[in-house]
Amino acid sequence: MLTRSRAPHIRADGNWVAEPELTRRTIALALAGGYAVAAYSADAEPITTDTQGLVAETVEIQAADRKIPGYLARPAGKGKHPVVFVNSEIFGVHEWVKDICRRLAKAGYVALAPDLFVRAGDPSKTTDFKVIMDIVKATPGDQVTSDTKASLAFLAAQPYADMKRLGVTGFCWGGGATWLCCERFGEFKAGVAWYGPLKAGAYPRTPPIDLVKDLKCPVLGLYGALDKGISQKDVEDMRAALKAAGKNDEIIVYPNADHGFLADYRSSYNADAAKDGWAKMLAFFKANGVA
């Protein structure tokens, strides 16, 4: 397991804990690489996925009130490909999220990560956690749902996207958004939520645990036992709610993993949990018709 200093993260109540030591060098490295400066570790060795055999580009999505940007990566080959809708971290669509899209494209998927925070600002470029939370709080749940609907309409219009094989994934804030996607949209065949909040907290949206009965597809939750923001009680309560609703969704908890364990640009990166979780995600998509 790769270990580094403790990573910062936002608790469910909105408080930021374990702030990193942000030096000028760290900030410069993060900005140079396009990574979120508030969470970047100067000791990180982020995975970089090339675009060979891919089409990777910024696209414009017509939302209800304006056009919003999104990062899209897909196989360059002809024909239709399965699709994964990507919900970003709280830091928005920065380089790590883009790399996740390229990794999914290398696995044969069309991957789209829309910038759902664009109206309020760019949370990846600031070290001020209050500014980050203000951007998130200015992005209400109804707006996110509307932008998600617009993004799915954009994908449905593309000749390379097979919307009959549609999955969704997301991380941190986006992990919670992934649960909500599967509760609100019947188009998704499967969802994989990485350490997403489950209960009410700092984010202006309905908590996923309140809508469990509405789940329209299977969800795999991937969580870390060392996560200070999402307690094991939250996880157990979600498991109980799923069981009570007659759902067979699975939540896996990695005993040595913290919040953000997939994020290789952060100090909380856990190589073993990340590798296992990625493999389980792809297998889960395949088992549920998204492959």
Side-chain angles (χ1 to χ4, degrees), residues 272-286:
D272 292 338
K275 181 179 179 180
D276 186 76
W278 189 265
K280 282 185 167 57
M281 176 183 70
L282 295 180
F284 189 79
F285 282 150
K286 184 176 180 180

Side-chain angles (χ1 to χ4, degrees), residues 9-274:
H9 60 269
I10 293 174
R11 296 195 323 220
D13 61 10
N15 292 319
W16 193 271
V17 296
E19 294 186 10
E21 295 181 1
L22 291 169
T23 65
R24 289 183 178 180
R25 175 175 175 269
T26 301
I27 293 171
L29 286 171
L31 289 172
Y35 293 97
V37 296
Y40 185 80
S41 170
D43 297 326
E45 297 177 358
I47 296 169
T48 301
T49 305
D50 63 49
T51 58
Q52 185 175 357
L54 305 180
V55 175
E57 58 187 346
T58 298
V59 297
E60 286 192 333
I61 301 160
Q62 182 60 61
D65 59 335
R66 54 162 289 174
K67 290 184 177 179
I68 63 172
Y71 185 80
L72 186 143
R74 62 181 177 88
K78 295 181 179 180
K80 289 181 176 290
H81 305 280
V83 180
V84 177
F85 182 85
V86 178
N87 288 297
S88 76
E89 302 174 296
I90 194 173
F91 304 114
V93 184
H94 63 104
E95 179 55 30
W96 180 75
V97 175
K98 294 176 181 179
D99 200 89
I100 290 292
C101 290
R102 294 193 294 272
R103 294 178 209 179
L104 286 165
K106 290 281 188 178
Y109 293 97
V110 175
L112 174 65
D115 187 347
L116 301 173
F117 301 136
V118 66
R119 297 172 185 81
D122 183 353
S124 74
K125 296 296 190 290
T126 180
T127 61
D128 188 328
F129 305 132
K130 182 182 182 303
V131 171
I132 293 170
M133 287 307 299
D134 285 347
I135 290 172
V136 175
K137 289 176 181 178
T139 308
D142 289 348
Q143 179 179 289
V144 172
T145 299
S146 178
D147 286 351
T148 300
K149 182 178 179 180
S151 299
L152 296 182
F154 168 86
L155 287 164
Q158 308 309 314
Y160 48 75
D162 183 355
M163 298 298 282
K164 293 181 180 179
R165 295 182 289 165
L166 174 65
V168 56
T169 193
F171 321 91
C172 181
W173 176 91
T178 295
W179 282 101
L180 290 169
C181 278
C182 296
E183 291 166 342
R184 288 177 167 152
F185 292 92
E187 294 94 327
F188 292 110
K189 304 299 182 186
V192 179
W194 299 77
Y195 34 86
L198 300 167
K199 294 184 175 180
Y203 306 140
R205 64 186 183 196
T206 304
I209 197 169
D210 288 0
L211 299 177
V212 164
K213 62 180 176 53
D214 297 330
L215 275 169
K216 296 171 174 59
C217 70
V219 179
L220 172 64
L222 300 171
Y223 289 80
L226 305 182
D227 194 328
K228 308 300 187 299
I230 303 169
S231 70
Q232 292 307 293
K233 184 179 186 306
D234 288 356
V235 171
E236 291 307 318
D237 287 350
M238 187 63 165
R239 283 173 170 160
L242 289 166
K243 183 177 180 180
K247 307 297 181 179
N248 295 318
D249 306 72
E250 182 181 8
I251 298 179
I252 295 172
V253 178
Y254 292 97
N256 298 314
D258 204 339
H259 191 84
F261 63 83
L262 182 68
D264 45 75
Y265 74 99
R266 298 172 68 168
S267 60
S268 57
Y269 175 59
N270 181 310
D272 292 338

